[in-house]
Amino acid sequence: MAWAYAPVKDQLMVPGDSGHNVNTDGERSSALMLFSEGKYLVELTSRLPCERKRRTNKKRVWGVEHMSGIEKNETLRVISERHAVKKYEKGFVLPEADLNAILTAASEAPSSWNLQHWRFLVIESEADKAKLLPVAYGQSQITDSSVTIAVLGDLEANRNTVIYDQAVEAGALTAEIRDALVGQINGAYQSAQTARDEAIRNASFASQNIMLAARSLGYDTCPIGGYNPQQLIETFNIPARFVPTLLITVGKAAQPAHPSGRFSLSEVVVKGSF
């Protein structure tokens, strides 16, 4: 009979168990788990013979298969931990440095033609929260969270081609290529529908970055589509150039979010063709 141990946070793979996990809740009856001095002890019983031919991407230590690089990946962990929180610690002040880090991550999202089709309206004062509350149909998370970020899409992002002038000045782009790109962009933006689609699509990339960056810093978020866009525009004097796409509350959770169910890959992935 062999013994092995790992830190409490680790999820342990039992050799020969055909991929089943022994987790820190001890859900698998096929192994006996004991707690001692901050570590879990796992008794690998004789009913679970060691098999070395499967799961070759995992490293074996003391008879225990440690998680693969995919399972330990920090980015994937943050993605899996992000859930929509509805109850926040009222009065918690989000440090300015952390807020700026979140907004910086948002601004580093990808965008069509690198036009960066977004503006971020940060609502954090108690007076502004009170103004936003009826716009969001009285949702308490508006006033309880540290800040709400209104993500706006730029309907006139073709005016942002100054980014190409900067590239030319830096020697990263020729003037001829810049002129060709600007002509292409202005041609596309003759269509109001294209301008709107691009504004919403690209602002959505920034929204996801906001939520993941906040989670990586230990904060929680909730994307809100339930609000009155026109009332938001009027209340906060948003120029006609920008279209509201989403409200995102950010703060410290007073209650943990409940993980939501997800469809399996077999239900959402189509390879090749329908």
Side-chain angles (χ1 to χ4, degrees):
M1 186 174 297
W3 288 88
Y5 76 92
V8 172
K9 65 180 180 180
D10 284 353
Q11 186 181 42
L12 308 179
M13 298 293 296
V14 178
D17 200 25
S18 301
H20 290 100
N21 297 341
V22 174
N23 61 29
T24 52
D25 294 323
E27 293 175 353
R28 293 281 296 169
S29 60
S30 55
L32 173 65
M33 307 188 71
L34 302 176
F35 181 78
S36 174
E37 297 181 352
K39 299 180 184 293
Y40 275 104
L41 299 178
V42 182
E43 181 183 4
L44 308 180
T45 69
S46 57
R47 292 176 295 168
L48 300 174
C50 291
E51 296 180 10
R52 300 180 182 272
K53 63 183 179 180
R54 290 197 294 268
R55 300 185 298 282
T56 57
N57 65 323
K58 294 185 172 66
K59 181 180 180 182
R60 298 180 63 87
V61 179
W62 304 308
V64 174
E65 294 183 354
H66 280 202
M67 293 183 291
S68 70
I70 291 177
E71 291 166 313
K72 288 183 176 180
N73 184 275
E74 181 70 10
T75 300
L76 296 179
R77 182 188 64 78
V78 169
I79 291 171
S80 69
E81 285 182 355
R82 185 218 58 79
H83 299 288
V85 163
K86 301 298 192 296
K87 299 291 184 182
Y88 290 93
E89 290 184 13
K90 187 175 178 61
F92 174 78
V93 177
L94 187 67
E96 188 72 11
D98 290 353
L99 175 59
N100 286 339
I102 292 167
L103 294 170
T104 297
S107 71
E108 291 174 344
S111 62
S112 300
W113 293 296
N114 194 29
L115 294 178
Q116 303 169 52
H117 314 57
W118 43 67
R119 291 294 187 278
F120 308 114
L121 174 62
V122 178
I123 299 165
E124 55 185 336
S125 73
E126 293 303 316
D128 284 342
K129 289 179 181 181
K131 288 163 57 178
L132 181 60
L133 187 61
V135 174
Y137 307 122
Q139 297 180 65
S140 61
Q141 59 178 299
I142 295 296
T143 52
D144 292 348
S145 62
S146 300
V147 302
T148 297
I149 301 171
V151 182
L152 312 176
D154 189 352
L155 296 170
E156 300 175 17
N158 57 312
R159 294 168 58 182
N160 297 341
T161 53
V162 64
I163 198 76
Y164 293 122
D165 296 334
Q166 296 169 0
V168 171
E169 292 172 5
L173 202 66
T174 67
E176 290 76 16
I177 293 176
R178 174 201 59 194
D179 294 344
L181 287 169
V182 170
Q184 182 187 75
I185 292 166
N186 286 330
Y189 272 75
Q190 295 301 307
S191 166
Q193 186 63 54
T194 295
R196 183 176 179 82
D197 289 347
E198 289 296 311
I200 295 172
R201 178 184 298 117
N202 290 281
S204 297
F205 300 152
S207 294
Q208 185 73 356
N209 275 19
I210 287 172
M211 292 181 280
L212 295 181
R215 181 80 288 264
S216 73
L217 293 174
Y219 302 115
D220 297 284
T221 58
C222 182
I224 301 175
Y227 66 96
N228 185 318
Q230 188 57 42
Q231 192 176 354
L232 180 71
I233 291 169
E234 295 170 358
T235 301
F236 292 94
N237 303 311
I238 297 173
R241 175 176 175 174
F242 303 107
V243 57
T245 67
L246 197 65
L247 300 179
I248 303 176
T249 51
V250 184
K252 280 283 189 181
Q255 296 178 10
H258 297 290
S260 54
R262 288 293 186 268
F263 293 116
S264 67
L265 290 184
S266 64
E267 295 173 290
V268 299
V269 175
V270 177
K271 293 188 176 181
S273 176
F274 278 92

